[in-house]
Amino acid sequence: MALSMEISISISTKSFVGGERSSRLTSSFNSLNSRQRQRQRQRHRRCVGFPMAAATVERMATIVEVEKTKAVKFTARAVVTVRRKRREDLKETIANQIDAYSDKIVGRSVLLELIGTQIDPKTGGPKTSKRTHLKGWFDKKDLKAEKVVYTADFMVDSTFGEPGAITILNRHQREFYLESIEVQGFPTGTVHFTCDSWVQPNKIQPNKRVFFTNKPYLPSETPLGLRRLREMELMELRGDGKGERKMTDRIYDYDIYNDLGNPDKGTELVRPTIGGAESLPYPRRLRTGRPPTETDESAESRVEYPEPIYIPRDEEFEEKKLEMLADGDVKALLHNLVPLLVSSLSPETNDFKGFHDIDNLFKEGLRLKQALQDYLLEKIPFVTKIQESSEGLLRYDTPHIIRKDKFAWLRDDEFARQSLAGINPVNIERLQAFPPVSKLDPEVYGPPESAIKEEHIIGYLNGMSVQQALENNRLYMLDFHDIYLPFLDKINAQDGRKAYGTRTIFFLTDLGTLKPIAIELSLPPATPNCSRAKRVLTPPTDATNNWLWQLAKAHVCSNDAGVHQLVNHWLRTHACMEPFIVAAHRQLSIMHPIFKLLKPHMRYNLKINSIARQILISGGGVIESGFTPGKYCVEMSSAAYRDLWRFDQEGLPADLIRRGMAVPDQTEPHGLRLLIKDYPYATDGLLLWSAIEKFVQSYVATYYPSSQSILSDTELQSWYAESIQVGHADRKSAPWWPQLTDQSNLVSILTTLIWLASAQHAALNFGQYPLGGYVPNRPPLMRRLVPAESDPEYKNFMADPHRFFLSTLPGLTQMTTFMTVIDTLSTHSKDEEYLGERDDNWTGDEEMVKAFKEFAKEVMEAEKEMQRRNGDKEKRNRCGAGVLPYELMQPSSGPGVTCRGVPNSVTI
């Protein structure tokens, strides 16, 4: 063993330490401070296996002598873990049995080859072992286990050095999922390969698959034996940008959103191309290469759900995730099918007669008359059978928002509280000038000033003037005016959809809570330069105005729901992340330390986004059907990307400062001071942001001791440049993109991406059903405007305001469809991986494994602090009679709809 170690050291030394390169490295090393020297030693040790200072002249002479002796052969064993499917259909079972018998009869069906980190002087290529085969496939064919371990033995000699990669050729008929490989028997210890990949049969992918060890290498530090393999692997992942992608491919490329409509099915499903045009810019999506539609060459043909749409094979859901979605499919079928049939048989049943009808969706489910049950049994007998055997399938779970206080949603303080601790707590902003002013073109949309005047609000300012309230940071606003107004004529021309551009002014009370004091409802001018149709409502003093005020709040919530779903949730955490993920796979080797850092935060995003293009944001899809903007949903999202989105303000501190909710203050723990101290989203979010940032700072400092080391990292620079120049091509010329030139900017970029994929997405997603499942609290769609005395329907409003209010909300079919979708979106699956959770083998850098464990401890401490805050009676935005605690940022969660839990990535 000692002999093999000496020879390995000799070859490593000749490859990496000597002559001019050794002098340059020594000079550079001496210029570093002590902490950086230690890290430089560790990085160098990862490359060559020992410290430079250990190689004395005397020892070098001894090594040369040993090198002349005959190499010693020894056996290294690979322990290979393959994950099997938990459930197989008959076809899959037969195919696996055929593979097993083929392995026994023909033999050598899964072939492996070990690749060394050093160059073989005889061949000029990397050192390789002889090809060997996986043993035990036939013997374990009937083993009832999710994970099955096989072995393979390599015969190598002592000059081989350190393993750096392993190749696999699958000569079976079917793919298999390779979880990990451990190679034992080398002097340096067990070598770990975390694979987590599907290996296709060679009839589909004839090239051998390459898997690298867990050791991270910057491009310039890559051992010579692995450099060409590193380049070739990235070339394969990029593809050539041509042809239609097959489901077995592992190719990452970009395209525009030209697949949301389906013109072949009629003009009502024609949708414009989003992205690639100045008027409708958008981030790029993953390319599938499908052929164009028959009626429009510029539109890509669609694949309708549940038929799979292409994503790289390794981006597919794991089995536990698929099981969760399959269970959801049964619930969705029943929750949607029965109301649809009821409303089609009796149209008047689509409107709710009273709030008790909505309550019964949670208490009793959908109660059908016997005649209707018989009809359904005759037409679709399985529905009644399922209902009889599993009664709860037709009953919705009670949303959290009405569990503690059934009428909380009616209160003004709860309406205001949800702007700080609700589903969409990222739109509230401090009012810094009065009256608010629009940024829209006054030639088109009329005078920019708001219709809210001082006389509207002066009575609600606790004796302050408006100017005093502004100076004391007591006025806040939800402003949906500019994003909705350009679309209102088109929105309101659709059947059953009515909207305003709303502004809501809040006053910050002495108790630290907000109260709404004015709501502005705006419509576009009938002709240019004329005054807008605008209306201001203030807190009511009588019964009539109370109902008008409730209707105005409902329209604000509908505006808020649309912006939440289309902009803050979909655009900012799903769509804008996709180009960074595609670029990471194309430009960063799996060996790159930054890829290893980002890998858990990219999980499932591409799959989720592909499904979204099929059923959520597609023409006629769930978002168009359930939200007020209708067929203009994605166009509105595009306008927000054009006018509002800035990557440099996507991080939490920058966003809070941009909205005026905080000011920079280095004396505060997070470098800023919140102007509303009890702002649950912000206070909890800053705990997680700071923990992420601290870990990223440590990580970046380990691999990048200087700005030059960042500038010279070709893969890192290519990743960031491609993310912007190609992935965000429509905004590539914006001046606000951070420059990837130093540690500070790299830390900021990486922290922002991890934040968006984990905590930000969790805060915007997992409260959807708990807080929005009771639709009157937060209607995603409004069907009527607020009536004025001159309107024909004002009499109906006055005669029965309760019934009129219900008629403005979504009908039975729309409501139950929406509830089913957000129920699924709010559900954690059993395979969820939460912030602070990682397998210890995610990297071969032990220092970073320890650093991550420290990060995990900080996340746990943050969760304890959040729990403490929820019990603090002084924090009235998260504690009180009927007040829901704010748990959306609490990192841990069990499966299901829990209204808490921060997964590492966008997993739903």
Side-chain angles (χ1 to χ4, degrees):
M1 199 64 80
L3 178 65
S4 64
M5 178 67 83
E6 293 292 312
I7 294 172
S8 174
I9 290 173
S10 168
I11 295 172
S12 297
T13 305
K14 290 175 22 174
S15 298
F16 295 99
V17 184
E20 240 179 285
R21 176 164 170 75
S22 177
S23 299
R24 289 198 306 271
L25 285 172
T26 304
S27 174
S28 173
F29 183 78
N30 288 335
S31 67
L32 302 175
N33 63 38
S34 59
R35 190 178 181 194
Q36 289 172 329
R37 287 181 190 175
Q38 182 181 1
R39 288 175 176 154
Q40 192 81 317
R41 288 192 193 102
Q42 290 168 339
R43 285 201 308 278
H44 190 72
R45 197 175 293 129
R46 287 195 291 268
C47 292
V48 302
F50 74 109
M52 290 185 293
T56 62
V57 174
E58 181 180 354
R59 185 166 179 79
M60 288 292 292
T62 304
I63 292 172
V64 170
E65 288 300 317
V66 173
E67 196 176 29
K68 295 178 182 178
T69 63
K70 186 176 180 181
V72 176
K73 291 187 177 181
F74 65 94
T75 300
R77 168 158 290 186
V79 179
V80 180
T81 301
V82 171
R83 188 190 304 167
R84 288 181 178 173
K85 293 185 69 173
R86 288 144 54 102
R87 298 177 184 175
E88 291 182 342
D89 57 31
L90 181 61
K91 184 179 179 181
E92 290 172 326
T93 301
I94 293 173
N96 287 334
Q97 291 292 318
I98 292 173
D99 276 343
Y101 278 96
S102 173
D103 199 272
K104 180 180 181 181
I105 297 169
V106 179
R108 299 178 176 271
S109 293
V110 179
L111 304 177
L112 299 88
E113 189 176 27
L114 206 55
I115 311 294
T117 59
Q118 302 169 8
I119 294 292
D120 188 334
K122 295 179 182 178
T123 64
K127 290 195 172 185
T128 60
S129 71
K130 289 186 178 180
R131 204 159 62 168
T132 187
H133 67 281
L134 212 57
K135 295 183 291 186
W137 200 280
F138 175 80
D139 297 333
K140 298 180 180 181
K141 62 180 173 57
D142 297 321
L143 192 63
K144 302 298 181 183
E146 186 177 351
K147 297 180 181 181
V148 182
V149 177
Y150 306 96
T151 60
D153 292 331
F154 299 101
M155 183 62 68
V156 294
D157 63 47
S158 50
T159 66
F160 186 85
E162 185 180 357
I166 196 166
T167 66
I168 294 184
L169 186 67
N170 176 16
R171 299 200 300 195
H172 285 159
Q173 297 300 304
R174 290 182 56 79
E175 64 181 5
F176 63 84
Y177 188 85
L178 180 60
E179 185 173 276
S180 65
I181 302 173
E182 290 187 354
V183 178
Q184 305 165 349
F186 278 85
T188 50
T190 300
V191 182
H192 296 277
F193 297 79
T194 299
C195 306
D196 290 328
S197 181
W198 291 94
V199 181
Q200 299 300 324
N202 65 333
K203 66 179 181 180
I204 294 176
Q205 292 184 353
N207 296 335
K208 293 181 286 187
R209 280 294 308 277
V210 178
F211 294 96
F212 296 100
T213 69
N214 287 4
K215 285 193 174 182
Y217 294 108
L218 294 173
S220 61
E221 296 175 345
T222 309
L224 295 177
L226 303 180
R227 290 189 177 181
R228 180 58 181 156
L229 285 176
R230 182 173 185 149
E231 294 169 0
M232 290 174 62
E233 173 76 355
L234 287 173
M235 288 174 63
E236 285 190 15
L237 291 170
R238 291 175 197 142
D240 60 6
K242 300 177 182 178
E244 183 174 357
R245 299 270 63 88
K246 301 187 294 292
M247 300 304 295
T248 53
D249 285 346
R250 298 171 55 242
I251 295 175
Y252 297 79
D253 205 353
Y254 306 91
D255 211 337
I256 53 180
Y257 281 73
N258 62 347
D259 63 339
L260 301 182
N262 196 344
D264 289 347
K265 286 193 172 182
T267 56
E268 69 279 4
L269 288 178
V270 172
R271 296 293 181 273
T273 295
I274 308 294
E278 186 177 349
S279 58
L280 291 172
Y282 221 55
R284 298 302 186 258
R285 65 170 174 91
L286 182 74
R287 180 183 179 275
T288 65
R290 297 192 302 270
T293 61
E294 294 179 4
T295 55
D296 185 351
E297 283 288 323
S298 65
E300 185 173 275
S301 56
R302 288 186 53 77
V303 176
E304 301 296 347
Y305 189 82
E307 289 298 314
I309 185 173
Y310 170 75
I311 58 167
R313 184 66 182 96
D314 292 340
E315 304 293 332
E316 282 287 349
F317 289 144
E318 294 183 22
E319 200 167 4
K320 290 179 182 178
K321 185 78 168 182
L322 290 171
E323 289 172 0
M324 182 273 285
L325 291 174
D327 291 342
D329 284 345
V330 175
K331 290 172 66 177
L333 175 67
L334 294 173
H335 284 156
N336 293 325
L337 181 59
V338 175
L340 186 62
L341 287 169
V342 172
S343 61
S344 66
L345 292 170
S346 180
E348 63 271 14
T349 61
N350 199 38
D351 283 335
F352 295 101
K353 295 182 177 62
F355 284 104
H356 61 274
D357 289 338
I358 300 175
D359 295 342
N360 281 339
L361 294 174
F362 314 113
K363 292 181 178 179
E364 302 174 6
L366 290 165
R367 301 181 66 181
L368 307 178
K369 294 180 180 179
Q370 188 60 48
L372 183 55
Q373 289 185 15
D374 294 341
Y375 176 84
L376 293 177
L377 177 60
E378 178 185 345
K379 296 296 182 183
I380 42 172
F382 80 91
V383 170
T384 302
K385 292 176 183 177
I386 293 177
Q387 184 180 10
E388 290 171 353
S389 63
S390 186
E391 185 180 348
L393 283 173
L394 288 177
R395 185 184 299 119
Y396 288 86
D397 294 330
T398 302
H400 292 58
I401 188 64
I402 57 171
R403 288 182 186 176
K404 295 184 73 173
D405 184 351
K406 181 178 177 181
F407 303 105
W409 66 277
L410 284 167
R411 301 196 315 264
D412 282 1
D413 65 291
E414 178 63 20
F415 168 73
R417 189 192 73 85
Q418 289 186 32
S419 69
L420 299 171
I423 307 170
N424 188 37
V426 298
N427 271 102
I428 188 75
E429 60 183 292
R430 179 164 54 93
L431 189 61
Q432 301 184 48
F434 187 87
V437 176
S438 170
K439 296 179 182 178
L440 297 174
D441 184 356
E443 293 294 320
V444 178
Y445 298 102
E449 293 79 17
S450 168
I452 302 175
K453 305 299 181 185
E454 183 168 357
E455 56 264 28
H456 289 122
I457 65 174
I458 192 66
Y460 304 99
L461 304 183
N462 286 10
M464 297 182 189
S465 68
V466 171
Q467 188 59 35
Q468 287 174 325
L470 288 173
E471 291 171 356
N472 286 280
N473 303 319
R474 303 295 284 269
L475 293 177
Y476 293 82
M477 177 173 61
L478 284 178
D479 187 355
F480 301 119
H481 177 278
D482 284 10
I483 192 167
Y484 271 90
L485 206 67
F487 295 92
L488 285 182
D489 283 338
K490 293 188 287 188
I491 289 172
N492 292 336
Q494 300 174 97
D495 289 338
R497 294 169 194 272
K498 292 293 181 283
Y500 298 96
T502 67
R503 289 191 183 99
T504 307
I505 306 294
F506 300 91
F507 179 75
L508 179 64
T509 70
D510 294 338
L511 294 176
T513 59
L514 293 176
K515 65 176 182 180
I517 58 176
I519 295 175
E520 178 183 15
L521 307 174
S522 295
L523 293 171
T527 58
N529 297 318
C530 78
S531 61
R532 290 169 293 175
K534 47 194 175 184
R535 187 173 176 188
V536 177
L537 290 90
T538 56
T541 55
D542 59 49
T544 300
N545 284 314
N546 179 68
W547 278 107
L548 293 173
W549 179 249
Q550 293 296 342
L551 286 167
K553 288 195 298 182
H555 273 281
V556 173
C557 289
S558 179
N559 273 188
D560 189 76
V563 169
H564 161 258
Q565 199 69 269
L566 299 169
V567 179
N568 298 328
H569 180 204
W570 163 254
L571 173 66
R572 294 173 65 186
T573 69
H574 283 258
C576 286
M577 280 290 294
E578 186 161 349
F580 290 97
I581 294 171
V582 173
H585 286 280
R586 288 168 53 85
Q587 300 297 342
L588 295 176
S589 167
I590 196 171
M591 290 190 286
H592 199 291
I594 300 303
F595 186 90
K596 291 183 179 296
L597 174 70
L598 292 177
K599 185 179 179 182
H601 306 292
M602 302 189 289
R603 182 181 188 232
Y604 289 162
N605 179 285
L606 298 182
K607 176 64 176 179
I608 289 294
N609 288 6
S610 71
I611 294 176
R613 298 200 310 274
Q614 285 186 295
I615 64 175
L616 293 179
I617 63 169
S618 56
V622 170
I623 301 298
E624 285 193 1
S625 301
F627 287 81
T628 299
K631 64 186 293 185
Y632 305 104
C633 279
V634 179
E635 290 184 52
M636 184 187 267
S637 183
S638 170
Y641 179 67
R642 180 192 65 218
D643 300 333
L644 304 175
W645 186 81
R646 288 182 51 160
F647 182 76
D648 65 327
Q649 294 181 346
E650 287 298 283
L652 178 59
D655 177 57
L656 291 171
I657 292 170
R658 175 185 64 84
R659 291 189 281 122
M661 301 301 292
V663 293
D665 187 342
Q666 293 307 313
T667 66
E668 293 289 324
H670 307 288
L672 51 77
R673 176 169 53 88
L674 290 171
L675 299 181
I676 299 180
K677 293 183 179 180
D678 184 19
Y679 182 4
Y681 159 79
T683 54
D684 289 4
L686 284 169
L687 293 177
L688 297 184
W689 171 273
S690 295
I692 295 168
E693 184 180 49
K694 181 179 176 182
F695 172 58
V696 172
Q697 284 172 339
S698 173
Y699 197 90
V700 167
T702 298
Y703 295 101
Y704 299 100
S706 66
S707 296
Q708 183 55 40
S709 60
I710 291 175
L711 291 168
S712 62
D713 186 336
T714 54
E715 287 186 8
L716 182 70
Q717 294 293 335
S718 295
W719 161 68
Y720 188 58
E722 184 176 284
S723 298
I724 298 170
Q725 299 297 319
V726 183
H728 285 276
D730 299 334
R731 305 303 316 274
K732 65 182 179 182
S733 299
W736 39 253
W737 285 103
Q739 298 298 306
L740 187 50
T741 54
D742 56 34
Q743 282 184 332
S744 176
N745 279 352
L746 178 56
V747 168
S748 176
I749 291 164
L750 296 173
T751 304
T752 297
L753 292 175
I754 294 171
W755 161 259
L756 290 172
S758 58
Q760 180 79 329
H761 178 261
L764 295 168
N765 182 73
F766 292 104
Q768 289 191 78
Y769 188 80
L771 300 177
Y774 188 71
V775 172
N777 175 59
R778 185 181 170 79
L781 180 150
M782 295 293 284
R783 292 189 287 165
R784 284 184 169 84
L785 295 174
V786 180
E789 290 189 35
S790 58
D791 295 336
E793 56 186 12
Y794 190 78
K795 288 183 180 180
N796 295 329
F797 162 71
M798 291 293 290
D800 193 342
H802 167 266
R803 188 77 173 265
F804 185 90
F805 182 89
L806 287 171
S807 73
T808 68
L809 303 180
L812 174 65
T813 305
Q814 289 172 318
M815 188 178 291
T816 53
T817 300
F818 171 75
M819 290 163 60
T820 300
V821 170
I822 62 171
D823 179 43
T824 301
L825 294 179
S826 304
T827 301
H828 291 292
S829 61
K830 294 178 181 177
D831 72 335
E832 206 83 276
E833 297 173 357
Y834 295 97
L835 194 66
E837 294 180 353
R838 272 195 182 191
D839 186 273
D840 284 350
N841 289 326
W842 67 276
T843 178
D845 188 332
E846 293 182 6
E847 182 185 354
M848 287 300 97
V849 172
K850 292 178 183 177
F852 183 79
K853 289 181 178 178
E854 289 301 313
F855 166 67
K857 287 181 183 178
E858 274 201 60
V859 171
M860 290 176 62
E861 289 301 315
E863 181 164 325
K864 292 177 183 177
E865 173 59 17
M866 295 174 200
Q867 291 169 347
R868 187 197 67 78
R869 291 171 177 176
N870 282 331
D872 185 347
K873 294 179 181 179
E874 295 300 312
K875 300 185 184 301
R876 291 173 172 82
N877 289 320
R878 60 198 305 159
C879 184
V883 175
L884 285 179
Y886 187 73
E887 298 180 320
L888 287 168
M889 289 283 190
Q890 294 202 21
S892 66
S893 175
V897 179
T898 63
C899 201
R900 60 176 293 163
V902 179
N904 278 321
S905 59
V906 177
T907 59
I908 193 66

